[in-house]
Amino acid sequence: MNAPRPALRSLDEALASLLAHAALLPAETVSTFDADGRVLAEDLVSSLQVPPQDNSAMDGYAVRRGEIADEGVPLPVSQRIPAGAAPQPLQPGTIARIFTGAPVPAGADAIVMQEDTEPLDDGRVRIQRVPSEGQWIRRSGEDITRGSTVLARGERLGPASQGLAAGIGRDRLQVARRPRVALFSTGDELVMPGQVAPEAMKPGAIYNSNRFFLRSLLARLGCEVQDLGIVPDVREATVQALRDAARGNDLILTSGGVSVGEEDHIKPAVQQLGTLDLWQIAMKPGKPFAYGRVGDAHFIGLPGNPVSSFVTFVLLVRPFLLKLQGASHLQPTALQLPAHFDLKRPDKRREFLRVRRNAQGGLDLFPNQSSGVLTSTVWADGLVDNPGGQAIRHGDVVRFLPLAELLS
């Protein structure tokens, strides 16, 4: 008698189960220069004001507004203030030549930009426009106030936040350690580009595309990747590969071998060394998925079809790796956009359709949504998250997940 098929899990249930296993990695200290893409393990609190004092937002002249009642007033220049200088108080009846970023002298209450002035032959400068109060003055602390938290624990750092950290004097930052991930593929049908010419491929052989995009996706998430290559469909080889992968790594990630066929050796090999849950997830593409433990390492098994592997990575593995690092934002921000296509025969499972925004602000559908058509992921700039059984008519507003976020 055949064993009953396991019930399909919802994607949300599978993700919640997966994230429940993601314990935070320890912190380490790195140079702020090297912190791009890392997750902060501390709150950054500023001990200073930014800018530290009132400064000029323009090249021009620092003035007292009360001395410029009308346009065309000529006034002498009493000092020149470049950025980084320590100015003297502004003498009554004079103006000060000032440059962008320079401190505003005591007594001045506005900046007149140089385009609104006219130098005269006698050394004075004519003010062509009456300034408003505080015009072109950047106030001390208008960017950052002393004691404020400028970046919170769990923030994924980028170029702007690196600059912000440096702007409050931080040359080193506490961040979560990079996840260490062992990656390998299983399947005797797989060959590597460059090793076998297309005309010499055996019947049934395919190039291993999954290894390339998974390695890049891991690198984009800040992982240190140990690439173990392709493991043959042999039980003993799979067990040895898992033993090797578990040493010193936080996660073992495999592609293929998580189905129930006789040549799929991942399940018995992981169970021999640790624990394993095989999930059938109600999503398309990406139905088969596995989570377990091998020694101290997490194990995640992705389906072998390339689009299934790609989609399950961005929707399940990506948030898992971000949570390991303590990131506060795990999911992309979904957009509500109109579909410029019809989906008359939706799948019973929750579908992730490869789509691309068009010039009219709507979404076009890639014509072939098969789980083996990797060109759909190159053409697309996002996924439509469509509930199971939900037909789509042209003009319907759908939930759009930008690949720009899912791939970062």
Side-chain angles (χ1 to χ4, degrees), residues 136-199:
W136 300 122
I137 293 178
R138 300 180 183 129
R139 296 300 181 186
S140 173
E142 75 172 30
D143 185 9
I144 300 169
T145 57
R146 185 179 291 107
S148 64
T149 299
V150 298
L151 292 168
R153 179 194 299 261
E155 180 94 12
R156 279 187 83 195
L157 299 168
S161 47
Q162 286 174 275
L164 186 57
I168 63 169
R170 294 295 299 269
D171 68 325
R172 299 187 70 77
L173 300 171
Q174 278 200 346
V175 297
R177 175 173 62 71
R178 292 183 184 275
R180 299 167 184 151
V181 182
L183 173 67
F184 66 84
S185 304
T186 62
D188 289 341
E189 76 279 11
L190 298 175
V191 295
M192 286 297 292
Q195 292 182 348
V196 180
E199 62 273 12

Side-chain angles (χ1 to χ4, degrees), residues 41-178:
E42 60 175 334
D43 290 334
L44 292 193
V45 178
S46 178
S47 61
L48 48 78
Q49 302 269 101
V50 179
Q53 64 275 314
D54 292 356
N55 70 79
S56 177
M58 287 285 176
D59 291 345
Y61 295 87
V63 303
R64 282 188 173 89
R65 291 177 59 248
E67 297 175 348
I68 308 172
D70 298 303
E71 294 178 355
V73 174
L75 291 167
V77 178
S78 58
Q79 61 178 309
R80 182 178 183 276
I81 312 171
Q88 299 297 314
L90 185 62
Q91 297 175 18
T94 73
I95 60 178
R97 180 71 166 116
I98 195 167
F99 297 90
T100 302
V104 176
D109 56 9
I111 305 295
V112 178
M113 62 181 180
Q114 62 188 25
E115 291 86 348
D116 292 333
T117 65
E118 178 189 1
L120 301 177
D121 293 339
D122 60 4
R124 295 182 300 168
V125 173
R126 190 187 305 280
I127 306 301
Q128 306 280 44
R129 183 172 296 180
V130 177
S132 59
E133 182 179 357
Q135 175 178 289
W136 300 122
I137 293 178
R138 300 180 183 129
R139 296 300 181 186
S140 173
E142 75 172 30
D143 185 9
I144 300 169
T145 57
R146 185 179 291 107
S148 64
T149 299
V150 298
L151 292 168
R153 179 194 299 261
E155 180 94 12
R156 279 187 83 195
L157 299 168
S161 47
Q162 286 174 275
L164 186 57
I168 63 169
R170 294 295 299 269
D171 68 325
R172 299 187 70 77
L173 300 171
Q174 278 200 346
V175 297
R177 175 173 62 71
R178 292 183 184 275

Side-chain angles (χ1 to χ4, degrees), residues 9-23 277 279 281 289 291-292 298 316 320 323:
R9 283 191 170 199
S10 73
L11 176 61
D12 292 339
E13 180 188 0
L15 180 58
S17 297
L18 191 62
L19 294 180
H21 294 287
D277 288 324
W279 302 341
I281 303 176
F289 187 86
Y291 171 80
H298 301 278
L316 289 162
F320 178 80
K323 188 174 181 188

